[in-house]
Amino acid sequence: MAQRHFALLLLLTGYVAAWNTFVVPHADGQDDTPVLKAALASGNYSANATILFAKGTKYNIFTPIKFPTFTNVEIAIEGNLSYPDDISTVQNVVSASGFPGSWFTFTGGNNVTLRGSTDPKWGWVDGHGQAWWDAAQQTNRPHGWAFNHITNGVIRDIKLWKPIAWNFATSGSKNLHVYNNKIVAVSSTGSFPFNTDGFSAGGTNMLFENNHVQNGDDCLTVGSGAENIVFRNSYCEGGHGLSIGSLGKGGSVADVQNVLIENVIMKNTLYAARFKSWTGGNGLARNITWKNIAFDNVLFPVYVTQNYWDQEVGSPSSSSTNNTHIQDFLFENFVGTINDKPGYVEGSCVTDPCWYAVPGATGKEVIIFDLYPGTATNIVAKHILARTETFSPVRVLCNSSTCWDGLFVPTLKGLL
Ligand SMILES: *[C@@H]1O[C@H](CO)[C@@H](O)[C@H](O)[C@H]1NC(C)=O
Ligand SMILES: *[C@@H]1O[C@H](CO)[C@@H](O)[C@H](O)[C@H]1NC(C)=O
Ligand SMILES: *[C@@H]1O[C@H](CO)[C@@H](O)[C@H](O)[C@H]1NC(C)=O
Ligand SMILES: *[C@@H]1O[C@H](CO)[C@@H](O)[C@H](O)[C@H]1NC(C)=O
Ligand SMILES: *[C@@H]1O[C@H](CO)[C@@H](O)[C@H](O)[C@H]1NC(C)=O
Ligand SMILES: *[C@@H]1O[C@H](CO)[C@@H](O)[C@H](O)[C@H]1NC(C)=O
Ligand SMILES: *[C@@H]1O[C@H](CO)[C@@H](O)[C@H](O)[C@H]1NC(C)=O
């Protein structure tokens, strides 16, 4: 009897301790993806496993990695990872059939951690984006990290250096904690890092915090279907704001609810808080709060448009009667300076007028609400403190029956 219990205990202990670690090997000058692919294909690392890119090693990720469905798996990036450094190699991969869409693609699973290193010298993923930005090359660009269809996931301490374009996306995931990540999409030549979006939040129940983003597009973008998203205690520089949308493109039905964005510094950005939807869309965006936002040298601190359009395509005809409805938006505790430098042109502007130009705006507006009648309810802006860099009076632009175009007048109740 005692012996049998002992055997059972051994069995249980062995079972619990079964954790597989795969240290990704590296060969100089070679693509390190194929060996990892083969290991993943063995099935040994799909559950209860760590896949480690070891510190001290500089890996070549010359072809994309698509992970299988994972259960209790950690991907640890403690070494440096490098994309191919020439544009055409990447373009050939992206244009080939079977390209998963992103350079790193997670396909789903439960309890999945993607983590980097807290050592400032190691754990960087280098996209060699500079060459792409310098050439204004926008054909066949890969996305960075698709962390899709994961339940109970973590993304932390990841560091991205000069990514080609879009960085993290979390579509179809739930219960995520995304923190201490760093994105450095900063051009050293004056060229513009187009479409280097930071975090694209899709899915439900996500907490993003303590992230640092320097880029050339949205710092955060919350997409259709997203629900219960918190983004806080972060820094965004150079990009296009804390955005919801764009929603309702091509008449689609959008649904976003319960988003809280708070305690964020916006430096040298085009927008701070931003909502964008296309005319002709459907659906509802509700209960969205931006609060405690410090902005420094920002063109459009608070900006809501139901009239979004593509720079390349031009303004849509607004004959459609439908729009994504908006409800219960709050902008609270905004402090900062408006970039109204005469003649200033933001780096993503390649047309005249710029894609972000608002007819009737003077450049001195702290708030622009570009709304369709009867589709927006309970939008409140309060405790807004702003000055322009030229010290001219701060204005608002708001074509709704409940607020006005003209000088910004703070009221106790707020605007609208
Ligand atoms: C992973 O480990 C847990 C216990 O820690 C165990 O219940 C589960 O069966 C293991 N999964 C696989 C696929 O080995
Ligand atoms: C997978 O596990 C089996 C059984 O333990 C082992 O024989 C095989 O070498 C492993 N393969 C890899 C790639 O780890
Ligand atoms: C989740 O995965 C981590 C490794 O990332 C592991 O340490 C932990 O035990 C897993 N949790 C459960 C409940 O299995
Ligand atoms: C790792 O990559 C980053 C970004 O390219 C670089 O600054 C750093 O020096 C690299 N680390 C080492 C040890 O080479
Ligand atoms: C609004 O969203 C916040 C943040 O996600 C949430 O805590 C709150 O419960 C929501 N309120 C309503 C009325 O849905
Ligand atoms: C407007 O929305 C309604 C309800 O969703 C839909 O039935 C109708 O087809 C839409 N019209 C247009 C022009 O998109
Ligand atoms: C609101 O007013 C602005 C400025 O006059 C104009 O560009 C925009 O088209 C108007 N929006 C709507 C939805 O009518």
Side-chain angles (χ1 to χ4, degrees):
M1 193 66 189
Q3 234 169 20
R4 211 179 297 153
H5 276 152
F6 184 58
L8 186 65
L9 188 71
L10 264 183
L11 211 99
L12 280 172
T13 317
Y15 195 59
V16 168
W19 193 270
N20 288 333
T21 298
F22 182 73
V23 181
V24 181
H26 164 72
D28 281 343
Q30 305 290 303
D31 180 9
D32 295 319
T33 298
V35 178
L36 171 57
K37 255 190 186 160
L40 292 170
S42 75
N44 291 4
Y45 307 102
S46 297
N48 300 335
T50 296
I51 292 160
L52 173 66
F53 293 88
K55 180 172 168 167
T57 302
K58 296 181 182 180
Y59 291 94
N60 300 319
I61 310 302
F62 290 167
T63 48
I65 299 172
K66 185 177 176 182
F67 296 110
T69 302
F70 281 145
T71 306
N72 306 335
V73 171
E74 178 185 52
I75 308 292
I77 299 181
E78 296 184 358
N80 266 5
L81 272 53
S82 174
Y83 284 51
D85 62 9
D86 73 293
I87 295 174
S88 60
T89 301
V90 174
Q91 285 178 318
N92 290 340
V93 170
V94 171
S95 62
S97 71
F99 175 64
S102 298
W103 211 252
F104 299 88
T105 304
F106 289 75
T107 51
N110 195 350
N111 187 26
V112 179
T113 294
L114 167 63
R115 73 161 175 86
S117 165
T118 53
D119 182 333
K121 288 211 160 45
W122 289 102
W124 286 92
V125 182
D126 188 348
H128 302 286
Q130 187 73 54
W132 294 74
W133 309 334
D134 289 352
Q137 181 51 260
Q138 299 188 3
T139 306
N140 290 324
R141 291 174 295 172
H143 288 242
W145 301 80
F147 200 71
N148 295 342
H149 309 294
I150 306 266
T151 301
N152 305 320
V154 172
I155 304 176
R156 67 174 169 95
D157 300 313
I158 296 287
K159 299 194 290 286
L160 307 183
W161 182 254
K162 300 200 181 200
I164 296 167
W166 312 270
N167 292 293
F168 296 101
T170 62
S171 103
S173 290
K174 59 180 177 202
N175 308 337
L176 299 190
H177 192 190
V178 181
Y179 62 103
N180 292 357
N181 300 290
K182 191 167 187 158
I183 298 171
V184 185
V186 177
S187 175
S188 44
T189 63
S191 63
F192 192 78
F194 275 95
N195 307 110
T196 46
D197 299 65
F199 297 94
S200 170
T204 56
N205 302 334
M206 299 186 182
L207 172 59
F208 296 82
E209 59 184 345
N210 301 323
N211 294 300
H212 177 107
V213 179
Q214 293 166 276
N215 68 345
D217 210 308
D218 292 321
C219 184
L220 166 71
T221 165
V222 179
S224 180
E227 211 173 303
N228 302 336
I229 308 292
V230 176
F231 184 94
R232 67 186 184 196
N233 306 345
S234 291
Y235 177 84
C236 305
E237 182 181 326
H240 292 172
L242 301 162
S243 303
I244 310 295
S246 64
L247 303 178
K249 188 174 186 177
S252 60
V253 180
D255 174 32
V256 171
Q257 49 182 323
N258 305 340
V259 179
L260 172 61
I261 297 170
E262 63 177 351
N263 310 337
V264 184
I265 295 172
M266 305 299 294
K267 188 177 170 66
N268 304 339
T269 58
L270 183 53
Y271 303 97
R274 178 188 190 195
F275 174 88
K276 43 181 168 168
S277 66
W278 300 72
T279 52
N282 282 292
L284 173 65
R286 64 162 283 271
N287 186 26
I288 299 173
T289 295
W290 291 258
K291 78 175 192 201
N292 306 341
I293 308 292
F295 57 96
D296 178 13
N297 190 37
V298 170
L299 275 91
F300 303 101
V302 175
Y303 182 81
V304 175
T305 184
Q306 292 178 301
N307 207 13
Y308 187 62
W309 47 280
D310 237 333
Q311 175 160 221
E312 289 77 21
V313 180
S315 171
S317 79
S318 48
S319 55
S320 170
T321 48
N322 284 353
N323 281 294
T324 303
H325 285 229
I326 66 186
Q327 189 185 307
D328 306 329
F329 279 19
L330 173 62
F331 303 88
E332 187 177 14
N333 298 339
F334 278 63
V335 181
T337 56
I338 301 168
N339 176 359
D340 66 332
K341 288 192 250 332
Y344 177 84
V345 176
E346 200 264 351
S348 68
C349 168
V350 295
T351 52
D352 186 11
C354 287
W355 65 274
Y356 56 75
V358 178
T362 64
K364 320 282 181 197
E365 287 78 14
V366 64
I367 295 174
I368 293 181
F369 289 148
D370 176 6
L371 307 171
Y372 281 93
T375 56
T377 48
N378 192 29
I379 303 185
V380 175
K382 60 183 183 186
H383 306 144
I384 309 284
L385 188 62
R387 71 160 175 84
T388 60
E389 289 171 7
T390 63
F391 297 99
S392 33
V394 173
R395 301 176 63 85
V396 295
L397 183 65
C398 173
N399 51 4
S400 149
S401 56
T402 41
C403 59
W404 64 91
D405 289 351
L407 289 180
F408 172 62
V409 183
T411 63
L412 214 51
K413 179 166 151 282
L415 197 64
L416 274 191

